[in-house]
Amino acid sequence: MACAGGMVMLDQTVVAVALGPMARSLGLTAFEMHAVVLVYILALAAFAPVGGMAARRYGLLRTFRFGTAAFALASGLCGLAPLYACGEVGPTDPRTFAVLATGVVTLAVAVRLVLRSRHPLVDLRLLGNRPYAVAVGLTFMVQAPQLIVLVHGTLFLRQVVHLSVLATGVCLLPLVTAMATGTLLSGHLLERSGSIRVPVLAGLVAAVLGAALWTAALPSRAYPWQVPGMVLAGFGMGLPVPALSAELMRAVPDHKRADASVLRQTLRQLGGAVGLATAGAVVLAANAEAADEAGVVTVAAAPAGFVVATCVLAVALLPGRAGVSRRRGR
């Protein structure tokens, strides 16, 4: 599972690091650069239910092996290859309303079909379970800023600090290492305290402070000033995830845990897509038009994405305080 998760994280990070060279060689605008990442995350969210259905029908191991092989093949094909519009045209443009209205109608129809199905790809009825719904909602809200800071932090290092691809990857190690450390300590805190709230709230508070510090350091353009906020934000965003996973699995019956896992993974990836789309729209609105055409995010516009990430994490503190069980087993 660690190796499979590592493959997905590697694919996300390598795309972010390669966005600068891709934009130059393919003539991508800043909008198209964001779209490259968004399409990938939306595909993860869309196919998670398909994976759950295949696992039920063909077995977990067979589905896992097929998915891993398909992932490796598709990644190789991507290496061989030759949805933010409101940030460019404005929120009042008719095209913005048309796209949003189409999305709302499509989502409503999909939800209605799922609720009427006896064997749906995604069991939305699980959201009627309040502890499960809160845990999934918080997972959604933690994933959104994770993808925002990963993509926009990478773009900042590449385009503003002017680091090489290798140097950018090395400079992102504090963020990734801090996330991994938070993930490892989450289970320890959960066992020691017996309370889901300890790792969840501690992580969210640390993430808010870290994201704010990182945002404040961006105008200086100096990498060393970014590291403290980067480490604190990464640690804070990694800390709640295992505890929330334990909480949502505890909240559902044994025979529903497979469906609960599929829905969690779907909404988690969707959270990343929604977060990146929102931050992308804000950044593009703040970016200079000439910079958009050149596929560059300016130093003046880059902090806008981090502000969105900080706000999402701050809002997540509200359900985190009110909705998560105080003690395990209650």
Side-chain angles (χ1 to χ4, degrees), residues 11-291:
D11 231 40
Q12 292 179 1
T13 53
V14 76
V15 171
V17 171
L19 279 178
M22 288 168 61
R24 290 194 300 271
S25 61
L26 300 177
L28 302 181
T29 64
F31 166 78
E32 291 166 339
M33 289 166 60
H34 285 83
V36 167
V37 183
L38 182 59
V39 167
Y40 176 77
I41 301 301
L42 284 174
L44 285 177
F47 283 98
V50 178
M53 178 191 69
R56 288 192 293 269
R57 183 168 183 177
Y58 300 109
L60 290 172
L61 186 57
R62 184 178 297 177
T63 302
F64 180 83
R65 287 173 173 169
F66 176 81
T68 303
F71 182 93
L73 177 61
S75 295
L77 292 176
C78 287
L80 296 174
L83 304 176
Y84 318 112
C86 66
E88 291 187 327
V89 302
T92 59
D93 190 276
R95 289 170 290 180
T96 301
F97 284 109
V99 171
L100 291 176
T102 302
V104 170
V105 171
T106 303
L107 181 61
V109 171
V111 169
R112 182 173 177 83
L113 291 174
V114 165
L115 292 176
R116 295 180 64 180
S117 174
R118 290 186 177 182
H119 304 288
L121 283 177
V122 180
D123 191 355
L124 296 179
R125 299 178 185 88
L126 288 169
L127 296 178
N129 182 324
R130 186 172 181 271
Y132 174 84
V134 171
V136 170
L138 285 171
T139 302
F140 179 99
M141 298 182 77
V142 170
Q143 182 70 12
Q146 275 189 16
L147 197 61
I148 292 172
V149 300
L150 176 62
V151 172
H152 286 275
T154 302
L155 284 176
F156 189 86
L157 293 174
R158 291 283 295 131
Q159 297 185 338
V160 177
V161 185
H162 302 297
L163 297 181
S164 66
V165 173
L166 177 60
T168 300
V170 172
C171 288
L172 286 174
L173 284 177
L175 174 66
V176 178
T177 303
M179 282 185 183
T181 303
T183 301
L184 289 172
L185 289 180
S186 180
H188 177 72
L189 286 178
L190 183 60
E191 291 299 325
R192 288 289 299 271
S193 66
S195 173
I196 303 294
R197 286 192 172 195
V198 173
V200 171
L201 293 183
L204 289 175
V205 170
V208 171
L209 293 175
L213 285 174
W214 196 354
T215 304
L218 292 177
S220 71
R221 307 189 187 191
Y223 171 72
W225 288 104
Q226 299 179 47
V227 174
M230 186 185 296
V231 170
L232 190 57
F235 178 79
M237 288 186 287
L239 200 58
V241 176
L244 289 171
S245 298
E247 171 74 355
L248 64 88
M249 287 302 178
R250 181 197 64 79
V252 299
D254 290 348
H255 69 282
K256 282 292 184 180
R257 287 186 173 177
D259 291 322
S261 180
V262 169
L263 181 57
R264 167 192 174 273
Q265 183 66 7
T266 301
L267 292 179
R268 180 185 178 188
Q269 299 299 339
L270 189 59
V274 171
L276 185 61
T278 304
V282 174
V283 168
L284 287 173
N287 209 29
E289 184 175 349

